[in-house]
Amino acid sequence: MKWIGLLSLVALSECLVTIPLTKIKSMRESLREKDLLDEYLQEHPYSQAYRFLHKQGGVTVEPMRSYLDLYYIGTISIGTPPQEFKVIFDTGSADLWVPSIYCSSPACATHRTFNPRKSSTFLGTDRPLSLHYGSGSMTGLLGYDNVRIGDLVVRFQAFGLSRTESSKSFEYGVFDGILGLSYPTMALRGTSPVFDSMWKQGLLSENIFAFYLSTNTETGSVVMFGGVDHSYYTGELKWVPVSRQGYWQITMDSISMNGKVVACDGGCQAIVDTGTSLLIGPNYPIFNILKSINARPTSTGEYIIGCNTINVLPDIVFTINGVGYPVPASAYIRRGQSNVCYSNFDDSFGHSLWVLGDVFLRLYFTVFDRANNRIGLAPAVA
């Protein structure tokens, strides 16, 4: 039986496809360096990152999202021969889109654009695509082509070709496009998300994917498809059932400091989201946490904290399915320029969902199990 188990692990490792992710400077820091952050935040004072999926005038409208604090991107290619793009692997949305040669927006001028004329496997449509974000929007058309992710080639994959991108997030962001990994209920009607296509086309040995996000180094982060590399975490995976299939949504028990509940008293809903960097929650609970850690608001809506408190403030513990997941002050406070420190908490501007973004995911290796509709969490290796 031991030999069978060993052979199973060997077979699994051979089927595991690991894609390296690069940790980049966030757009917030890039704008700050260019002295453009205050102007940007005054124009877009609220995150407005999450709104419900809805349809409008025959155009599909995606949930609103903000990528101001995004840190991790990976490389894919589309078409034959392949055209490369840097994308966000985003568990908070379901669609794939990249800039196209038909886009005349400033954002497209500073990024790689897909040229369908140079791909022998491209199939175009006249179906419109419209994605609305908190700080802008993207419009375009739906197309189909081969998408390569590592050694995997997904045939005839639906994706969006942008024609307009009205957002500084896109203009100043390092990423070219977005690759969504949420449930297909959030995808464009009648299309299959990339991960679902991988599974349907028999490219994966297991119907799961996982993320390891490095804390400090530019390299080392990965997204893996079809299995789990156990060397990226310690201890055992603790499983949490998905409470609603759309986002990767779970039930959270409470949020506490020093043994006292400071938010989510009696339970609340949260989504595990690789496309968000911060820890996001409803207004009042977030303000309660900010008050507890002595954070002070700025004129632009950011919250600053004394850098000397990083070694003093207690862990904030997120209890999920009976298991406590501590987030230390070194994680929920980020050090900026000129020795100024900022809170990694933000409010969701009226939405009731909590969002566990990269601040949380850097601490905990995360498995997204579509076969069993559950999420696995374990301490990530340093």
Side-chain angles (χ1 to χ4, degrees):
M1 293 298 293
K2 290 182 179 179
W3 280 106
I4 293 175
L6 179 59
L7 290 173
S8 297
L9 287 174
V10 172
L12 176 60
S13 66
E14 290 176 349
C15 297
L16 177 65
V17 177
T18 301
I19 311 301
L21 301 177
T22 302
K23 186 178 181 184
I24 60 172
K25 183 180 296 182
S26 72
M27 197 187 81
R28 183 186 297 271
E29 294 307 317
S30 296
L31 289 173
R32 200 190 304 277
E33 288 180 359
K34 296 179 176 69
D35 291 326
L36 296 172
L37 182 61
D38 286 355
E39 176 187 346
Y40 177 90
L41 292 176
Q42 286 168 5
E43 290 177 2
H44 313 289
Y46 305 108
S47 60
Q48 299 187 23
Y50 300 92
R51 295 284 177 88
F52 291 111
L53 180 69
H54 60 285
K55 309 293 179 181
Q56 174 181 313
V59 177
T60 300
V61 182
E62 283 284 341
M64 301 174 74
R65 303 179 59 66
S66 172
Y67 296 102
L68 185 62
D69 292 287
L70 180 89
Y71 284 100
Y72 300 93
I73 57 172
T75 301
I76 67 168
S77 61
I78 303 175
T80 308
Q83 301 175 42
E84 276 196 358
F85 299 93
K86 296 176 181 178
V87 298
I88 303 164
F89 286 88
D90 178 17
T91 60
S93 65
D95 299 305
L96 167 64
W97 68 267
V98 295
S100 78
I101 59 169
Y102 307 118
C103 177
S104 57
S105 301
C108 296
T110 58
H111 291 86
R112 297 174 182 176
T113 56
F114 180 75
N115 187 344
R117 300 169 188 162
K118 292 185 177 181
S119 175
S120 62
T121 48
F122 175 77
L123 176 65
T125 76
D126 58 0
R127 181 176 173 182
L129 168 71
S130 181
L131 306 181
H132 289 252
Y133 297 83
S135 55
S137 63
M138 179 280 257
T139 65
L141 292 173
L142 184 70
Y144 294 84
D145 211 330
N146 296 339
V147 175
R148 178 179 288 275
I149 303 173
D151 294 330
L152 302 177
V153 179
V154 185
R155 309 289 178 184
F156 203 60
Q157 175 61 45
F159 71 105
L161 294 80
S162 77
R163 301 183 73 173
T164 66
E165 297 181 18
S166 59
S167 171
K168 284 187 172 67
S169 298
F170 304 145
E171 184 175 350
Y172 292 106
V174 176
F175 61 94
D176 301 310
I178 314 292
L179 191 154
L181 291 168
S182 68
Y183 279 83
T185 51
M186 291 180 62
L188 292 167
R189 187 178 302 158
T191 67
S192 175
V194 172
F195 181 74
D196 289 75
S197 297
M198 289 181 183
W199 180 248
K200 291 175 183 176
Q201 294 178 23
L203 302 179
L204 305 175
S205 59
E206 288 190 83
N207 196 8
I208 63 175
F209 60 92
F211 278 84
Y212 169 78
L213 302 182
S214 65
T215 302
N216 297 313
T217 59
E218 179 180 327
T219 59
S221 301
V222 297
V223 55
M224 53 195 75
F225 296 99
V228 174
D229 185 339
H230 305 282
S231 67
Y232 284 101
Y233 66 89
T234 62
E236 295 183 358
L237 287 166
K238 302 296 183 182
W239 295 101
V240 185
V242 171
S243 58
R244 182 178 181 183
Q245 297 175 23
Y247 296 119
W248 284 90
Q249 186 170 327
I250 59 174
T251 298
M252 192 156 58
D253 303 337
S254 64
I255 302 172
S256 58
M257 290 179 64
N258 290 324
K260 179 182 178 182
V261 174
V262 293
C264 188
D265 191 5
C268 57
Q269 293 296 297
I271 64 174
V272 183
D273 187 3
T274 60
T276 296
S277 178
L278 306 180
L279 295 164
I280 296 176
N283 298 45
Y284 180 77
I286 284 292
F287 293 149
N288 191 34
I289 291 174
L290 291 170
K291 182 180 179 181
S292 299
I293 61 177
N294 297 315
R296 306 184 306 279
T298 67
S299 59
T300 58
E302 294 182 287
Y303 278 78
I304 59 174
I305 307 175
C307 293
N308 59 346
T309 65
I310 293 178
N311 297 322
V312 178
L313 286 170
D315 294 349
I316 296 179
V317 180
F318 293 74
T319 301
I320 304 169
N321 206 25
V323 178
Y325 297 91
V327 176
S330 58
Y332 63 75
I333 297 173
R334 70 180 181 275
R335 190 181 296 270
Q337 294 178 318
S338 304
N339 205 35
V340 177
C341 289
Y342 300 87
S343 164
N344 275 329
F345 284 96
D346 196 7
D347 72 275
S348 58
F349 192 55
H351 205 293
S352 61
L353 285 174
W354 286 81
V355 185
L356 304 180
D358 295 345
V359 170
F360 184 86
L361 300 178
R362 280 192 285 269
L363 299 171
Y364 299 102
F365 179 85
T366 309
V367 180
F368 298 83
D369 184 351
R370 279 287 299 277
N372 299 291
N373 294 312
R374 60 182 184 171
I375 290 175
L377 297 168
V381 296

